[in-house]
Amino acid sequence: MNNKVIIITGASSGIGLACAREFASRGAKLSLAARSTDKLQEIEKELTDAGHEVLVTPTDVSKEEDCRNLVEQTVDRFGKIDILINNAGISMRALFQDLDLNVLKQLMDVNFWGAVYCTKYALPYVLEAKGSVVGVSSIAGFIGLPGRTGYSASKFAMHGFLQTLRTENLKKGLHVLIAAPGFTASNVRKSALTANGSQQGETPRAEDKMMSAEEVARHMAKAIIKRKRTLILTFKEGKLTVFLSKWWPSLIEKLSYNHMAKEPDSPLK
């Protein structure tokens, strides 16, 4: 990754921040995007003080013009784009029958349209570099997770978009990676939206027992370098789940229902 120019959305925390630190340690030049200006400035100082080249751009990926500006600022600063990491995302927890439809729309605007907008404007530069477009997805993009209709729908949509993008550019040297980390310790569940659109505030899962964002970032770096098509992390909740969903979908539906119903205050109870 030495001297590669990498855009990372959702870079202020979790997997995005871990990727920023990991990729910087490998010599990359970073263009970091998130909504929080204060957090971006803290990260910029941390990385520049360590000798890394960093550009930060406050960005709401649900807004097309913000995504266009992010790409333009990156090219103005570095002159190219080698890798785009579509990482910005939000989650939710509620039954569809109880859900305010604006919540589902918000999930699609950030998780799906955010990836589409950023990819649209970055693609000419990534194609020129024969570089990579990465979508940070979830096991929810392979199976429908109960209580996560908007989240699963947005990740399934991202998969369809990225798989088609890969096929369209088969002869142009474009690498497309769909990365599904599985349950990862981060603040995504704390900021997950409830049925009425408010943030749930507390995570319903044991974060200390999950894979760390730093470990995910290391796996993602290796997958990008090796130009893998898909990265599925964790065995039981990742690889095995995806495998069984193809050959025994009814079993996976029952297992995923029972698994999600065990969460504290689960809407499935």
Side-chain angles (χ1 to χ4, degrees):
M1 289 187 168
N2 193 43
N3 288 321
K4 299 292 187 183
V5 174
I6 306 178
I7 294 178
I8 306 173
T9 65
S12 62
S13 64
I15 292 173
L17 176 56
C19 283
R21 289 168 173 159
E22 176 67 25
F23 300 169
S25 73
R26 294 170 178 263
K29 300 176 181 179
L30 300 178
S31 174
L32 306 180
R35 289 180 296 176
S36 174
T37 302
D38 291 345
K39 290 181 180 179
L40 283 176
Q41 290 173 343
E42 290 175 8
I43 299 162
E44 180 183 31
K45 185 178 188 306
E46 172 194 331
L47 294 177
T48 54
D49 285 353
H52 304 297
E53 291 191 58
V54 182
L55 168 70
V56 297
T57 307
T59 304
D60 181 345
V61 296
S62 69
K63 298 178 180 178
E64 182 179 352
E65 285 307 310
D66 276 22
C67 297
R68 184 204 299 264
N69 178 63
L70 169 63
V71 170
E72 290 176 348
Q73 293 295 325
T74 303
V75 175
D76 286 346
R77 170 72 176 271
F78 298 115
K80 64 172 184 171
I81 300 171
D82 294 290
I83 301 168
L84 169 65
I85 310 290
N86 289 301
N87 170 70
I90 54 175
S91 187
M92 58 153 289
R93 191 166 75 129
L95 295 180
F96 178 71
Q97 67 183 34
D98 302 326
L99 188 66
D100 186 321
L101 288 177
N102 284 325
V103 173
L104 198 152
K105 183 179 184 301
Q106 190 173 346
L107 268 288
M108 292 299 295
D109 284 346
V110 174
N111 297 355
F112 173 66
W113 281 109
V116 170
Y117 293 148
C118 289
T119 303
K120 175 65 175 178
Y121 294 109
L123 186 59
Y125 304 100
V126 179
L127 281 173
E128 185 178 352
K130 290 182 167 45
S132 302
V133 173
V134 180
V136 178
S137 183
S138 164
I139 299 306
F142 292 92
I143 67 168
L145 281 187
R148 308 292 200 280
T149 47
Y151 189 66
S152 275
S154 66
K155 295 303 185 181
F156 268 81
M158 175 196 277
H159 285 202
F161 166 65
L162 291 175
Q163 287 170 7
T164 306
L165 187 75
R166 178 192 291 135
T167 305
E168 286 183 350
N169 293 280
L170 272 178
K171 298 183 179 181
K172 297 180 181 178
L174 179 69
H175 167 232
V176 176
L177 170 66
I178 295 174
F183 289 110
T184 305
S186 72
N187 65 355
V188 68
R189 279 163 294 279
K190 294 181 180 179
S191 58
L193 304 183
T194 62
N196 63 10
S198 61
Q199 293 187 354
Q200 69 178 1
E202 293 296 328
T203 176
R205 307 188 67 87
E207 302 284 325
D208 59 336
K209 296 181 180 179
M210 297 179 188
M211 181 178 288
S212 69
E214 290 73 21
E215 187 175 353
V216 172
R218 289 192 291 272
H219 282 290
M220 283 182 58
K222 293 176 183 177
I224 292 168
I225 292 168
K226 293 180 179 179
R227 296 175 78 87
K228 289 187 174 182
R229 296 165 53 88
T230 307
L231 174 67
I232 300 174
L233 298 178
T234 70
F235 177 73
K236 182 180 178 182
E237 294 176 340
K239 294 180 175 66
L240 181 61
T241 297
V242 172
F243 175 80
L244 288 177
S245 69
K246 296 178 180 178
W247 303 105
W248 202 346
S250 61
L251 174 63
I252 284 299
E253 288 168 1
K254 293 175 184 177
L255 292 175
S256 63
Y257 184 98
N258 293 337
H259 183 73
M260 303 306 281
K262 292 177 182 177
E263 290 183 339
D265 300 319
S266 171
L268 298 172
K269 292 179 179 179

